[in-house]
Amino acid sequence: MSSDLTDRVAVVTGGAAGIGLAISSILSENGATVVIADVDETAASGAVDELRAAGRSASSSRCDVTVESDVQATFEEVAERYGRLDILVNNAVAMSSVRIESMTLDEWNMDIGVPLTGAFLCTKYALEPMKERRSGAILNITSVNAFAFFGHDAYSAAKAGIVSLTKSVAVRNGPFGIRCNAIAPGTVLTEKWDTRVHANPELPDRLRAWYPLGRLGQPSDIANAAHFLVSDAAQWITGSVLTVDGGLLAGYPLMAAEYDG
């Protein structure tokens, strides 16, 4: 089946930077009209300008995915402007490094709210237009943190919740021709890592040692997988979580080396 996305309309939350921008770019490159839904209006506008300069179809919508009125307005805007919705990518995220014993309720709610509540709200408003067309693809960006602890307590809990949400949405909405899948990335070097790497230049090399493929991820690694999962090439895949992690969850080479002596 084809991976062409011509004439399809995609909403990508948190699509103005990092993994979200890479996904927005590859979907538009393959023919989709992409709506970048992001709380950062300036970054979203800049991302749209970048895509349009490359001859692609894109627009932006200011959206805080934790605010239902924002989400509703974004999907109403998409319906009015394009008359359809084919793809939703729930990518927006917040992540603090605060441990549970020091975390405030507001910090907890933010870390849970943006990825998990945001995915709920966006999925809620995406399902109606998809059901009307009896087709659609929803993709949730979870994390290897959903399956093992690598730090970030609240973020990890939210990402585990996304795995469960993915499966329930897939099962309930399969009869309407709607697919729902997830991608679980490992460490991906986006601009969010710049401050940490500047403070600790040895960090990337130390982390690479944990990955069987010997490198950290790039946003394009996740974007390529996303393109596949929302396209017709994956038309019989739903309720699945694709791990894109350089082999991290397959086993830990540093521990294996210790056992091997």
Side-chain angles (χ1 to χ4, degrees):
M1 295 296 294
S2 173
S3 59
D4 181 59
L5 301 175
T6 299
D7 297 328
R8 301 190 190 183
V9 175
V11 171
V12 181
T13 70
I19 291 172
L21 180 56
I23 292 173
S24 298
S25 181
I26 199 168
L27 298 189
S28 63
E29 180 183 345
N30 284 274
T33 294
V34 174
V35 179
I36 294 177
D38 204 293
V39 72
D40 188 336
E41 290 182 271
T42 301
S45 179
V48 168
D49 289 344
E50 180 181 326
L51 296 179
R52 288 177 176 173
R56 303 171 191 173
S57 179
S59 63
S60 64
S61 177
R62 194 272 175 195
C63 183
D64 180 339
V65 296
T66 67
V67 178
E68 186 166 10
S69 59
D70 273 18
V71 174
Q72 184 175 6
T74 289
F75 284 90
E76 288 176 349
E77 180 183 329
V78 170
E80 181 177 350
R81 184 167 186 172
Y82 300 110
R84 62 187 291 168
L85 175 65
D86 303 280
I87 298 165
L88 167 64
V89 181
N90 286 312
N91 168 74
V93 69
M95 181 174 63
S96 69
S97 298
V98 183
R99 297 186 178 188
I100 285 179
E101 61 269 27
S102 303
M103 181 173 279
T104 67
L105 182 57
D106 285 344
E107 289 168 333
W108 170 269
N109 286 338
M110 179 62 71
D111 280 12
I112 295 290
V114 175
L116 185 55
T117 304
F120 149 66
L121 286 173
C122 290
T123 298
K124 172 182 176 178
Y125 286 97
L127 283 174
E128 182 177 351
M130 289 182 176
K131 284 182 176 181
E132 288 178 357
R133 297 182 60 82
R134 299 194 72 82
S135 68
I138 297 171
L139 179 64
N140 298 321
I141 306 302
T142 180
S143 170
V144 293
N145 290 56
F147 305 103
F149 182 66
F150 299 103
H152 308 294
D153 306 69
Y155 167 87
S156 300
K159 292 299 189 178
I162 287 174
V163 172
S164 180
L165 182 66
T166 297
K167 295 178 183 295
S168 63
V169 171
V171 172
R172 285 190 180 275
N173 297 283
F176 297 96
I178 298 169
R179 299 184 299 107
C180 185
N181 293 293
I183 293 174
T187 303
V188 178
L189 289 176
T190 66
E191 58 269 25
K192 291 182 178 180
W193 277 85
D194 290 349
T195 300
R196 295 182 67 183
V197 173
H198 180 75
N200 185 2
E202 295 180 356
L203 181 59
D205 287 333
R206 291 170 58 189
L207 291 175
R208 286 186 194 102
W210 289 92
Y211 286 83
L213 287 181
R215 72 171 176 88
L216 303 182
Q218 296 295 326
S220 60
D221 293 315
I222 313 306
N224 288 329
H227 174 215
F228 165 68
L229 284 173
V230 303
S231 76
D232 289 344
Q235 64 174 344
W236 209 52
I237 300 175
T238 195
S240 293
V241 181
L242 177 59
T243 303
V244 184
D245 70 345
L248 178 66
L249 291 182
Y252 306 130
L254 292 180
M255 180 179 287
E258 292 292 334
Y259 277 112
D260 288 342

